[in-house]
Amino acid sequence: MNEKPVIEPVAGPLDLGEGPHWDEKSQSLYLVDISAKQILNFNPHTKVLKRAQLDKKVGFVVPVKGKSDEFVTGLGTDLAIIKWNGENSAIEEVDLRWKTNEEQRNRINDGKCDPSGRLYAGTMCEEKVDNFWLQEKCNFYSIDKSGLKTKLSKVSLSNGLAWSLDSKKFYYIDSCIYNVRAFDYDITTGNIANGQVIFDLKENNLPGLPDGMTIDKDGNLWVAVYNGARVIKVDPRSGKLLFTVELPALQTTSVAFGGKNYDELYVTSANVPVPPEEEETKNKYTHNGYLFKVTGLGVKGLPPVDFAL
Ligand code: CA
């Protein structure tokens, strides 16, 4: 059952807050500010936000399993292992280990590991025509011990990822087609196949685009809706919208459960400029670009998966 949620802006504003990932070791949250080219660490106990600067747009940050200061990240069109102690404003080392053949107008966007620690990440095109992203110019990749592989092509804007509790389904968002799809998933080979739409935002009369997502212990999805000022809870088995969390930020971007008991939902948002005709709508929201902590949802998430290199 859903209680009335408590929504607390805990840090910000960021330019384009994204990619929240709870770190069990340090009991803190890693995230990125894509347009500021920074990775960040937020400690909910001290409320301190640390930032480290990179020289390219950074799509996501996921810790490397068993290491306290190594992360896999999307940097521009490539994937890199970086060293950061979570404290300093400088990154100690950047190893651009996996290079894609993406066009330079593209960049790596959201990324996450499957339950075995295999990484998945996709790209987006930064070029727009008529204020909408170019279509089908991007790809979706995996990285494991055997290296970088292309898993899907003709993607438009690769975003949220999640796996079902039994690892047999992979849930995926290409924001430009306004839906969430479920693919059959083989955790041994990493193969994804047979994508089916399980939730369509337009059919549910929802504004905005689906962005980042996570799954809870009941197997329900939590999806951030960009330009929708909300996070929605969706049952991927029935395709039903179960609950909505409204946030005081228009451009809600991603979600991750965290906290000692995984009962805190961290929500990132952006403060990206909008066309003049949309400014009035955006300015109605008091906390554009903030990181939020949402409690009282009556659900728990799962520990995040680090990158098994
Ligand atoms: Ca995103």
Side-chain angles (χ1 to χ4, degrees):
M1 198 184 80
N2 292 299
E3 315 286 334
K4 184 162 171 48
V6 177
I7 297 161
E8 190 189 342
V10 290
L14 306 176
D15 293 342
L16 178 46
E18 265 283 5
H21 181 104
W22 183 258
D23 183 50
E24 202 152 68
K25 299 181 289 288
S26 59
Q27 291 290 301
S28 65
L29 188 80
Y30 285 95
L31 63 157
V32 297
D33 187 332
I34 295 177
S35 27
K37 305 174 182 172
Q38 291 174 343
I39 60 170
L40 303 92
N41 177 268
F42 176 71
N43 183 324
H45 305 287
T46 60
K47 305 207 163 157
V48 172
L49 184 74
K50 301 272 185 183
R51 300 166 183 256
Q53 192 67 44
L54 287 149
D55 61 359
K56 288 180 190 155
K57 286 189 177 177
V58 52
F60 68 90
V61 60
V62 170
V64 174
K65 194 176 171 185
K67 310 269 184 172
S68 60
D69 62 348
E70 282 188 27
F71 305 84
V72 62
T73 186
L75 271 188
T77 56
D78 301 318
L79 293 129
I81 297 291
I82 60 168
K83 275 197 172 189
W84 184 41
N85 65 6
E87 289 281 331
N88 295 349
S89 58
I91 298 289
E92 287 141 51
E93 207 177 299
V94 176
D95 174 5
L96 287 175
R97 205 172 291 186
W98 300 277
K99 299 207 169 175
T100 69
N101 289 316
E102 294 281 329
E103 297 179 51
Q104 286 308 304
R105 63 186 178 186
N106 291 1
R107 66 165 173 81
I108 304 282
N109 198 36
D110 208 346
K112 199 180 273 182
C113 289
D114 80 356
S116 76
R118 182 189 288 119
L119 185 85
Y120 286 82
T123 52
M124 67 172 285
C125 180
E126 296 229 304
E127 214 169 288
K128 286 183 175 181
V129 170
D130 295 333
N131 202 31
F132 204 74
W133 295 274
L134 289 186
Q135 299 294 291
E136 301 186 347
K137 302 287 184 198
C138 299
N139 299 286
F140 184 63
Y141 301 95
S142 72
I143 302 176
D144 58 18
K145 288 186 175 70
S146 64
L148 178 78
K149 288 180 194 147
T150 305
K151 306 304 286 190
L152 296 170
S153 53
K154 291 199 167 183
V155 172
S156 295
L157 207 175
S158 190
N159 249 317
L161 321 84
W163 284 264
S164 63
L165 304 183
D166 63 6
S167 300
K168 289 185 174 162
K169 292 284 178 193
F170 166 60
Y171 303 116
Y172 180 53
I173 290 172
D174 181 338
S175 296
C176 290
I177 51 175
Y178 300 97
N179 64 32
V180 183
R181 283 177 289 171
F183 290 81
D184 295 331
Y185 190 66
D186 183 332
I187 196 159
T188 312
T189 61
N191 281 342
I192 56 180
N194 190 29
Q196 308 280 333
V197 176
I198 51 151
F199 187 82
D200 186 296
L201 272 75
K202 287 190 181 289
E203 277 175 18
N204 282 271
N205 296 315
L206 293 172
L209 300 97
D211 199 335
M213 79 177 147
T214 191
I215 192 162
D216 67 25
K217 266 190 148 172
D218 304 319
N220 294 316
L221 299 172
W222 294 78
V223 181
V225 184
Y226 190 86
N227 280 345
R230 71 192 71 194
V231 170
I232 54 174
K233 178 187 181 183
V234 170
D235 184 341
R237 296 145 294 202
S238 68
K240 291 239 157 62
L241 175 64
L242 301 178
F243 190 66
T244 299
V245 183
E246 291 179 7
L247 292 136
L250 179 64
Q251 300 160 333
T252 32
T253 55
S254 195
V255 283
F257 284 100
K260 212 172 176 185
N261 302 311
Y262 292 100
D263 55 0
E264 302 166 353
L265 185 70
Y266 287 90
V267 182
T268 51
S269 73
N271 189 19
V272 170
V274 292
E277 65 274 16
E278 292 171 25
E279 266 173 22
E280 196 184 331
T281 305
K282 187 186 159 201
N283 292 339
K284 283 182 192 155
Y285 296 89
T286 54
H287 289 78
N288 289 312
Y290 274 75
L291 168 70
F292 302 93
K293 181 167 89 173
V294 183
T295 49
L297 290 167
V299 295
K300 286 182 183 178
L302 302 150
V305 184
D306 292 347
F307 181 40
L309 189 53

